[in-house]
Amino acid sequence: MVALPASLPRERVALGTFLFAAAMIWAGALIALRRPDQIMNPEVWNEDGIFVIPQIIQGGFFSIFEPVNGYLIIPSRMITWLSLQGPLEYYPTISTALGVFAQAACVAAVAVAPTMLRWPALCAALMVFLPMDPEVYVLPQYTFWWTTTLLFLALIWTPAAAPIWRNVFIVIGGFSSPMAIVLLPLFGLRLAYTRAREDAIALAVVAAVSIVQLYFILLGDPAQTESFALADVLPTISVFFAGWTAFAAHPHALWLGLGVCVVLASGLAVLPREDQFYYLLTGLMVWAAIASAVLRAPIEIMSPVGNGPRYFFLPLVLMAWMLVWLLASRKAIAMTASAAVLLTAVPVTWTHYQRGQEGLQPWVEAVQACRQGGHEMPVHHNGQSVHQHLVPYDQSWCGR
């Protein structure tokens, strides 16, 4: 692993910085390739253009602390605030560039952060090749999905390594989504296992962030949640553990999903003892991410290449890390099973690597019209112009 502990010789720090920058450049290029139309012709999308831009124009910096769907997504809102410091005409271009930058930084963090992951460079690489529709790639407003992964890294952090950076990751990841609330018991479990002072501090930081998120969830206007019944367990396994493979539409996809679960669970038997606890934590995070997803949307309409692909991003990231862990185990059966599972995802990544979009009224032209007396600004919904939002902007909002 490429680790960056608190006290390193200057040469090691320089090497770590170089590797981080190189990983960012590589990841940024591949992330951009997943949505080339947004790169070549940046547009404004969904909540960003409907709510966030008007709120920040009117409220200024402190508007980054306003919740979206009932919870804080501060990293995404910070990108919007930074992008609005320039002329409004250039907002789509600046915000898209910052979105790619932030998402690439998260990938690079996986590669260089001191965690218990094995082959972290491969773990990071797989994040840009996930077998899903690239809904969460490139777009600045979806950057909070990426920054949430920093919270995952903090939970499987190498003991006693770079505690300040670990807590920074917790704060960034915790204010990206409500996932800190879901993972709070797992941080407590880690403390019970290690009894380490740094884990007690980390638990306290996670608890503080969770309290803030919970405050906004309880007092705000949270998104509608779905009920989950016992009968939904098997469809959930089928969708989340086989839905991203080449056999998703097969009548026996459930059995494949159960097989993937068995492969992942086998790590508890084949991995070295020093890895088993952290591998278990990663597996529990997979289920926590899935639970969070199925409470937001009906399982029967969810698909990584259809409706709601964003809900598959976090589970897929974690499952990819677990499969790499098995590849690094040097146990022939585990390595073969892991490689087979990864290979079933290749056709899905290949056929859904890129996502296109139709052009809307040029944003520069819309801003200029807005300055003449207000205008209905074009905001993408799903990439098709027929489904675009036309959001009324006041003339005073466009005068910057």
Side-chain angles (χ1 to χ4, degrees):
M1 289 188 297
V2 180
L4 298 176
S7 57
L8 277 176
R10 184 174 300 178
E11 294 79 7
R12 292 281 304 278
V13 173
L15 176 61
T17 303
F18 170 79
L19 292 175
F20 182 83
M24 274 196 64
I25 294 171
W26 176 86
L30 290 173
I31 288 170
L33 283 174
R34 298 209 68 167
R35 299 194 73 148
D37 290 352
Q38 178 67 15
I39 297 297
M40 300 303 296
N41 183 30
E43 305 277 9
V44 177
W45 286 71
N46 290 320
E47 291 93 341
D48 200 20
I50 298 172
F51 306 115
V52 182
I53 291 176
Q55 287 172 349
I56 291 180
I57 287 177
Q58 297 175 84
F61 175 79
F62 289 101
S63 296
I64 69 171
F65 300 104
E66 292 190 35
V68 174
N69 293 327
Y71 54 87
L72 297 176
I73 56 169
I74 290 178
S76 293
R77 279 182 168 263
M78 178 63 75
I79 289 175
T80 301
W81 178 80
L82 287 171
S83 302
L84 288 172
Q85 301 314 297
L88 186 60
E89 292 97 325
Y90 304 119
Y91 174 81
T93 300
I94 297 173
S95 63
T96 298
L98 290 177
V100 172
F101 179 89
Q103 293 168 22
C106 292
V107 174
V110 173
V112 305
T115 67
M116 296 300 293
L117 291 174
R118 300 307 177 213
W119 297 358
L122 181 56
C123 291
L126 289 179
M127 293 173 69
V128 302
F129 294 110
L130 294 178
M132 58 178 287
D133 177 280
E135 180 184 30
V136 302
Y137 289 75
V138 176
L139 298 187
Q141 192 61 22
Y142 284 147
T143 297
F144 72 90
W145 290 98
W146 295 80
T147 50
T148 297
T149 62
L150 301 181
L151 199 59
F152 299 156
L153 297 178
L155 182 57
I156 54 174
W157 203 260
T158 300
I164 294 177
W165 276 111
R166 183 188 185 192
N167 291 317
V168 169
F169 278 27
I170 290 173
V171 171
I172 296 174
F175 284 127
S176 299
S177 72
M179 189 58 65
I181 301 171
V182 182
L183 297 186
L184 181 61
L186 299 186
F187 278 90
L189 179 61
R190 170 164 174 158
L191 175 60
Y193 177 78
T194 65
R195 300 181 182 275
R197 179 175 178 271
E198 63 267 18
D199 286 328
I201 295 173
L203 176 62
V205 176
V206 174
V209 172
S210 299
I211 290 171
V212 175
Q213 287 282 21
L214 191 60
Y215 169 82
F216 283 100
I217 290 172
L218 294 177
L219 295 185
D221 183 22
Q224 181 180 355
T225 57
E226 297 291 329
S227 59
F228 187 83
L230 186 61
D232 295 322
V233 172
L234 293 181
T236 297
I237 292 174
S238 178
V239 169
F240 276 93
F241 291 94
W244 43 270
T245 71
F247 306 100
H250 195 277
H252 300 299
L254 172 61
W255 292 105
L256 175 60
L258 290 171
V260 172
C261 289
V262 171
V263 171
L264 294 175
S266 70
L268 296 175
V270 303
L271 292 178
R273 178 169 296 183
E274 62 269 20
D275 284 6
Q276 288 177 1
F277 176 71
Y278 298 97
Y279 185 84
L280 172 64
L281 288 178
T282 306
L284 293 174
M285 285 193 287
V286 170
W287 286 103
I290 291 174
S292 299
V294 298
L295 291 176
R296 297 298 303 274
I299 186 63
E300 59 269 15
I301 67 169
M302 296 174 68
S303 168
V305 296
N307 189 50
R310 59 191 177 276
Y311 297 117
F312 291 81
F313 177 71
L314 296 179
L316 283 174
V317 166
L318 292 163
M319 282 189 273
W321 294 354
M322 295 180 74
L323 290 170
V324 172
W325 223 318
L326 293 176
L327 282 177
S329 68
R330 299 184 180 179
K331 302 291 185 180
I333 295 178
M335 294 174 67
T336 302
S338 175
V341 172
L342 288 170
L343 286 174
T344 65
V346 171
V348 181
T349 298
W350 178 261
T351 55
H352 294 87
Y353 188 75
Q354 292 186 329
R355 176 173 178 168
Q357 63 193 48
E358 298 176 2
L360 305 180
Q361 179 187 18
W363 184 261
V364 172
E365 179 183 304
V367 171
Q368 292 172 349
C370 180
R371 287 175 177 161
Q372 303 303 314
H375 189 66
E376 290 187 334
M377 303 296 286
V379 176
H380 255 310
H381 172 63
N382 61 1
Q384 299 178 359
S385 58
V386 69
H387 295 140
Q388 69 177 298
H389 304 283
L390 294 174
V391 186
Y393 274 36
D394 189 85
Q395 180 179 3
S396 62
W397 301 352
C398 301
R400 54 167 58 199

